[in-house]
Amino acid sequence: CDGDYDEGCQDCDLTVPSTEWATIQAAIDGSVDGDVICVQAGRYHDPITFNGKNIHLIGVAGPALTSLVGSGSVTMVTFAGTETTAVFEGFTVIGGRDGISVNRATPIIRSVIVENMLRYGISASGSSSVTIESSVIRNNVATGVMDGYTIFNIDRCVIMDNGRGVYAGGGEVTSSIVMNNGPASTSG
């Protein structure tokens, strides 16, 4: 057991929802580096920020049953600072302006679905290095994966039906499908 949601085994330090942690953000705020936060199946409507914490945030029921739902000008998931070993895994991120925003961080984004954003599915800037594994990024108005001075390593992903697929200056795309995106679907 390596703790992935698909194996049904986790060693959780914090669980959402619980009597102690009603929201995902409350659990993040109460966590320390190295904690595993297990989020139970459900639809969660508040955006989250990792606040520089190197934690593993996992939707234990997987992306089919665990969603972050946004609307309007909201960025749903933010990494902004010193996250060097943070993991975001097992969620669907749907609606909002941007799905996942990374600035000067090096997170791993694994087994997620990011869809129906008004702008970017996943965006990064500020010399970030982002790993995206086994994920689906689809139906985002502007771009599926967008960079600003960033290295993306994309492996075993499907990036489809976006305004643009991948617009990145560095990194690599391996064992992935990039299809049915608008003009200029790859760059760099």
Side-chain angles (χ1 to χ4, degrees):
C1 173
D2 63 11
D4 286 347
Y5 74 88
D6 58 349
E7 293 180 5
C9 55
Q10 295 80 33
D11 186 13
C12 304
D13 297 297
L14 300 93
T15 300
V16 177
S18 66
T19 55
E20 190 171 5
W21 311 108
T23 68
I24 299 170
Q25 190 62 56
I28 293 171
D29 293 344
S31 70
V32 297
D33 285 353
D35 277 351
V36 176
I37 301 173
C38 296
V39 179
Q40 302 304 311
R43 293 173 60 89
Y44 300 87
H45 295 274
D46 296 322
I48 60 171
T49 181
F50 274 66
N51 290 328
K53 295 188 178 183
N54 289 299
I55 56 175
H56 187 156
L57 181 63
I58 183 169
V60 294
L65 298 174
T66 313
S67 301
L68 294 175
V69 181
S71 63
S73 63
V74 173
T75 297
M76 292 307 298
V77 179
T78 302
F79 296 91
T82 59
E83 300 95 341
T84 57
T85 59
V87 178
F88 178 66
E89 177 176 11
F91 288 84
T92 291
V93 182
I94 186 168
R97 181 185 67 196
D98 296 326
I100 301 171
S101 176
V102 180
N103 185 14
R104 300 175 195 242
T106 57
I108 296 172
I109 299 166
R110 180 185 300 136
S111 300
V112 301
I113 299 169
V114 183
E115 61 187 358
N116 301 332
M117 298 298 150
L118 296 175
R119 222 168 50 154
Y120 309 127
I122 300 173
S123 66
S125 62
S127 301
S128 298
S129 178
V130 181
T131 299
I132 307 169
E133 301 171 340
S134 304
S135 295
V136 176
I137 301 142
R138 64 183 175 210
N139 300 320
N140 299 292
V141 173
T143 305
V145 178
M146 176 70 179
D147 93 331
Y149 306 105
T150 299
I151 296 173
F152 278 104
N153 294 300
I154 301 169
D155 185 39
R156 295 166 288 138
C157 292
V158 175
I159 301 168
M160 61 185 282
D161 300 325
N162 300 288
R164 275 192 297 207
V166 178
Y167 187 80
E172 63 182 357
V173 178
T174 56
S175 303
S176 296
I177 298 170
V178 180
M179 62 184 249
N180 297 331
N181 296 289
S185 62
T186 59
S187 176

